Amino acid sequence: MYSAPLMYTSLGGVLSENAGVVNIGLEGMMTIGAFAGATVAYFTQNPWLGFLAAGLAGGFLALLHAIACVTFTADHVVSGIAINFIGPGLSIFLTKIFFDGAAMTLPLDLNHKIPRPLNRFFSSISISNPILKKIFNFLNSIFNQYATVYIAFLLVLAVWFLLYKTKIGLRIRSVGEHPRAAETLGVNVYKIKYLAVILSGVLAGFGGAAMSIAVISNYRAALISGQGFIALAAMIFGKWRPQGAMWGCLLFGAAQGLVVHLGGTDLEISSQLLAMLPYIITLVILMGFVGEARGPAANGVPYEKN
């Protein structure tokens, strides 16, 4: 549940950076996606329309990032920082417009959140054997997840297939490694970069919606607070590969789940220390276990056509 929003966003980073565009603006794209998803889902009472709107909102911010970095060859990091200011600021501004000055969207009814497709599937099976019953209850606790979790895992497979088994994936990776050589072979470098960056924004928007209409039932200012950067860390942990990013997101999601679990126990641990735990784990993993991480050779390098 906590890993799924990170997985969407991290996969967006994988696509963008494999095409040679650094995208630290994923946090802002995730934030605008969380707002758009919660707002559209509330007014339409349809979580799937909210989910799609979140992807479109994230894609719009990504388009701005692509215009700045690809067309005008702006510094990728500076543009990403600007996106991280625009996303939360625009989200709060629009929230106050749509919800009469409130700083958060109105909560969704539980029946209008993203559904759990396997809710009580295993526990509904009638069986008398106590051992099998315990096994089925255990399976129910594992698979009773929101639909966004299953979609996230399917997208890992889809992005892997796109990058490593298709012609467009080869072009994305070639543009990220040596755009000048790709251009000599007839590849439209600008078009490929635009496509990858916009897709990264769409996926980050999905990640925001996975928070606001699945894990939580509304959007508020502090909902997305560092998840975009943790997703970037997971991408680096995974060596810019979708399957590696998935494992990184599962690790960091487990850290968040541990925080929630410890918060519900009798252990007297400061809530401030618990809140710091996922970020501390992120830093420790990056410093001690990732080693020398090298992304695509032309990642972050401005490109101008001859």
Side-chain angles (χ1 to χ4, degrees):
M1 180 173 69
Y2 294 112
S3 298
L6 301 177
M7 287 168 64
Y8 287 107
T9 309
S10 191
L11 288 174
V14 167
L15 283 175
S16 178
E17 301 212 4
N18 269 281
V21 179
V22 174
N23 192 354
I24 68 168
L26 291 172
E27 176 97 356
M29 298 170 195
M30 199 177 180
T31 303
I32 197 72
F35 158 75
T39 302
V40 172
Y42 175 79
F43 284 112
T44 64
Q45 297 294 291
N46 188 324
W48 294 114
L49 286 178
F51 192 70
L52 292 175
L56 292 174
F60 171 73
L61 277 192
L63 176 61
L64 298 181
H65 185 54
I67 291 172
C69 297
V70 179
T71 301
F72 294 104
T73 63
D75 185 278
H76 297 193
V77 174
V78 173
S79 176
I81 291 172
I83 294 296
N84 284 337
F85 280 113
I86 293 171
L90 185 61
S91 298
I92 288 297
F93 175 71
L94 293 176
T95 299
K96 292 185 176 182
I97 290 178
F98 284 107
F99 295 93
D100 299 325
M104 64 178 67
T105 64
L106 293 176
L108 294 172
D109 183 88
L110 292 179
N111 295 323
H112 295 105
K113 291 177 64 175
I114 292 290
R116 298 175 184 257
L118 297 180
N119 184 24
R120 298 182 180 179
F121 173 77
F122 293 98
S123 60
S124 64
I125 300 175
S126 178
I127 191 166
S128 58
N129 188 297
I131 296 177
L132 289 178
K133 193 171 184 179
K134 287 183 178 181
I135 293 174
F136 273 60
N137 287 335
F138 176 69
L139 291 174
N140 185 67
S141 67
I142 292 177
F143 290 101
N144 186 22
Q145 304 292 337
Y146 294 105
T148 47
V149 174
Y150 298 105
I151 295 172
F153 281 105
L154 290 175
L155 279 174
V156 172
L157 180 62
V159 172
W160 172 84
F161 186 83
L162 172 70
L163 285 177
Y164 300 107
K165 299 295 180 180
T166 66
K167 183 185 292 185
I168 187 68
L170 178 61
R171 290 180 175 179
I172 289 173
R173 290 185 289 120
S174 65
V175 164
E177 290 291 343
H178 202 309
R180 196 75 64 195
E183 182 188 358
T184 62
L185 295 174
V187 176
N188 189 326
V189 174
Y190 288 168
K191 183 177 179 180
I192 294 297
K193 285 179 179 286
Y194 263 90
L195 174 65
V197 175
I198 291 172
L199 283 177
S200 76
V202 170
L203 288 172
F206 287 160
M211 283 292 293
S212 63
I213 56 180
V215 179
I216 310 295
S217 61
N218 71 334
Y219 167 77
R220 53 182 180 270
L223 180 62
I224 307 299
S225 54
Q227 283 91 339
F229 294 107
I230 292 178
L232 275 176
M235 178 198 69
I236 297 170
F237 175 85
K239 308 293 186 183
W240 287 266
R241 295 184 178 92
Q243 65 274 27
M246 177 193 73
W247 290 114
C249 291
L250 287 171
L251 174 64
F252 298 133
Q256 182 62 49
L258 179 63
V259 169
V260 174
H261 173 72
L262 291 176
T265 64
D266 295 330
L267 295 175
E268 296 182 0
I269 303 176
S270 168
S271 59
Q272 286 82 5
L273 289 176
L274 286 176
M276 290 168 58
L277 186 59
Y279 308 101
I280 293 173
I281 291 176
T282 302
L283 289 173
V284 170
I285 291 295
L286 286 177
M287 290 188 299
F289 298 95
V290 173
E292 187 177 0
R294 292 184 179 179
N299 192 23
V301 179
Y303 173 76
E304 293 186 66
K305 187 175 181 179
N306 283 334

